[in-house]
Amino acid sequence: MRVLSSLALAGLLLSAGIAAAATTPIGDLRRGTMVTIEGTVDRILDTDEFRLRDRSGAVRIYLGPNWVPVDVGQQVTVRGFVDDGWPVEVYAREIILPDGRTLQFSHRYD
């Protein structure tokens, strides 16, 4: 039983390390890619868009048609798709809040 617990713990720590390593600096975003980025909410731009900033730069985060559920100054992780338009913008699929809650988004207009 201890062996299984140790293996499960090792797997959990390994997956957490992999997830952390997969975070992309905002300054390194490439159009047309899926990314995970972390930063501080710098400004609310519209009802469905905000700007996220890290040490390497800033990017617009689009949630449309969903309302922005974060506050300026909040640290968040965003998972989504880097659009190929101008300006560079990430279509968020998920936002992970500081308390660990994950919010999921659909970009469908029903």
Side-chain angles (χ1 to χ4, degrees), residues 32-95:
T33 61
M34 294 296 294
V35 295
T36 299
I37 54 178
E38 296 176 342
T40 303
V41 177
D42 191 41
R43 183 174 181 179
I44 306 299
L45 301 170
D46 202 345
T47 58
D48 60 359
E49 191 170 40
F50 66 93
R51 184 171 53 221
L52 189 70
R53 179 175 301 281
D54 70 6
R55 291 180 178 188
S56 67
V59 67
R60 291 172 180 246
I61 307 296
Y62 179 70
L63 304 172
N66 308 287
W67 290 82
V68 172
V70 295
D71 296 315
V72 171
Q74 199 169 26
Q75 293 278 35
V76 297
T77 300
V78 176
R79 293 185 182 133
F81 179 77
V82 183
D83 189 31
D84 59 1
W86 183 258
V88 175
E89 185 171 58
V90 174
Y91 280 62
R93 298 281 186 206
E94 292 182 342
I95 293 178

